[in-house]
Amino acid sequence: MKVLMFGWEFPPYISGGLGTACYGLTQHMARRGARITFVLPMLRERAQKSHVKLMGAVEVAEALPKAAIKEASLVREREEENMRFLRVSSALRPYLTEQRYVEELARLERERVRALGGKPEGRDVSDSVIQISGEYGRNLVEEVHRYATVGRRLAIVEDFDIIHAHDWMTFPAAIAAKQASGKPLVIHVHATEFDRSGDHPNWEIYHLEKWGMEAADRIIAVSGRTRDLIVSRYFIAPAKVAVVHNAVIKEKTVERKQVVRGVKEKIVLFLGRVTLQKGPDYFVEAAARVARKIKNVRFVMAGTGDMLPRMIERMAQHRLLDRFHFTGFLRGKKLEEMYAMSDLYVMPSVSEPFGITPFEAMKYGVPVIVSKQAGITEVLPHLIKVDFWDVEALARSILDVLTDPEYSEGLVETNTRELEKVDWDNSAAKVLDIYGGLLP
């Protein structure tokens, strides 16, 4: 089975759980025999040419001969011969807001002018990426539609059986591919505009999401919670939406006992985008309450986002300067080491369609607390759960874990057993079954 898949982040270039989920899912789909062409927006930056061979052409319709893309598989996963990657010149980035898109566009233009020796005219098209058109879109939604032109062209030159698109930025491209090819379309909803923006959605993005859902032959939701939202807020027939839970890649390069902590205190970790959706403010408020009760504890906020300056200010107001640390965005070995040295992981998300990070913490024997609003609770019913807004309950739960070693060890043992049942191969099998129901 040949799959044309549209995504917008993939390791090592990730900003959140979407890239991690795409990697785990496609890895096991490929092992089950699926042949996947993964289309990924990418800025034309030489620093990003690492684990993939980038394909080059001014026009997609005139390029992409099979010989040219033969070896575009992950270097570090040579056994995945059924995976190949097409990089598209685009200013799209994971979790972009309109303001961030404009800032990114301005940065790109400055870099391009420097690369051309101060000459703003002309373009070097020798970079091995697919060129879509002359310029980047003027705003975020326009860029999403510009990316859609690639879908139409790839539908003409690529050989595939089915189209699979991840989240709203890729939906127009996938719809264009469906219109050009007549092949069935599966869209994968990892989050909705209501998750990102609460009850004040960007209606332009909402309508793009709804357009994708209506155009799809089948919809995959990452949790029953997300499925219910798709049905109730986007008015999609329930029979059209299937639930495929996320999983976790269980391999790791760092062991807990190998990590040098450098501090004697207990470490409580928040790791994720520092945005409204992830509830970082509730973490800071709970931390202040815990810090007043016990002294041998430090709090870490790992990640970046628009709320970071406010969180730093709030931490200072609570006088936690010597007990609170901000690491910025972590990846690779540093990310693994952060999990391994933690004594507790907290995910107080306001709205979490699924949430892979608790799985990752559990790999390292770390107890976890999550909000009741997280889809992962459908898979791990025995997790400690609190309402995201209940700061007092969150603080009490943190204190219970930190002050009762026997309780903490029991949580780790239970989570370890539960984690054994979680496998990306099961998720991959469900996705392939969904494909099978759409093919003749």
Side-chain angles (χ1 to χ4, degrees), residues 136-300:
Y136 294 122
R138 290 169 294 180
N139 57 59
L140 178 57
V141 174
E142 182 179 323
E143 181 68 8
V144 168
H145 285 290
R146 197 181 72 93
Y147 179 37
T149 63
V150 169
R152 187 173 298 107
R153 296 180 186 180
L154 287 176
I156 297 171
V157 300
E158 282 294 305
D159 178 23
F160 59 93
D161 303 305
I162 200 160
I163 306 159
H164 189 146
H166 296 273
D167 266 6
W168 74 275
M169 284 189 181
T170 71
F171 289 175
I175 292 170
K178 177 182 178 179
Q179 292 171 341
S181 66
K183 299 295 175 64
L185 167 62
V186 174
I187 68 165
H188 206 137
V189 180
H190 298 262
T192 72
E193 182 61 9
F194 293 100
D195 294 303
R196 293 181 292 268
S197 304
D199 291 327
H200 304 283
N202 179 320
W203 291 108
E204 194 168 12
I205 294 175
Y206 167 85
H207 287 297
L208 279 174
E209 290 179 324
K210 185 170 172 58
W211 181 35
M213 293 176 191
E214 291 174 342
D217 295 280
R218 202 76 195 278
I219 300 169
I220 296 175
V222 294
S223 64
R225 179 182 179 281
T226 299
R227 181 181 183 273
D228 292 343
L229 197 155
I230 290 169
V231 171
S232 64
R233 295 292 189 101
Y234 295 85
F235 310 105
I236 302 299
K240 189 175 181 177
V241 190
V243 174
V244 178
H245 291 118
N246 288 329
V248 65
I249 298 171
K250 296 178 183 177
E251 293 82 8
K252 55 190 178 189
T253 61
V254 174
E255 294 295 336
R256 188 173 178 86
K257 61 184 179 181
Q258 298 173 330
V259 176
V260 179
R261 289 168 53 102
V263 296
K264 296 179 180 179
E265 296 90 347
K266 301 282 188 179
I267 296 176
V268 181
L269 173 66
F270 170 102
L271 189 147
R273 287 179 289 118
V274 188
T275 61
L276 177 68
Q277 180 188 349
K278 300 297 182 179
D281 44 342
Y282 300 106
F283 179 77
V284 173
E285 297 306 317
R289 286 161 173 76
V290 172
R292 288 196 291 267
K293 298 286 187 179
I294 58 175
K295 298 300 182 184
N296 65 326
V297 59
R298 290 177 183 254
F299 301 91
V300 175

Side-chain angles (χ1 to χ4, degrees), residues 1-2 137 146 182 189 346 373 378:
M1 187 179 298
K2 301 174 184 176
R146 197 181 72 93
V189 180
V346 178
Q373 291 70 31
E378 298 171 17

Side-chain angles (χ1 to χ4, degrees), residues 9 12-17 20 94-95 271-274 301-305 308 326-332 334-335 338:
E9 66 169 0
Y13 312 116
I14 61 174
S15 298
T20 303
Y95 312 108
L271 189 147
R273 287 179 289 118
V274 188
M301 182 167 284
T304 59
L308 184 58
F326 296 89
T327 69
F329 185 77
L330 300 177
R331 61 162 55 94
K334 288 185 178 180
L335 173 63
M338 190 68 254

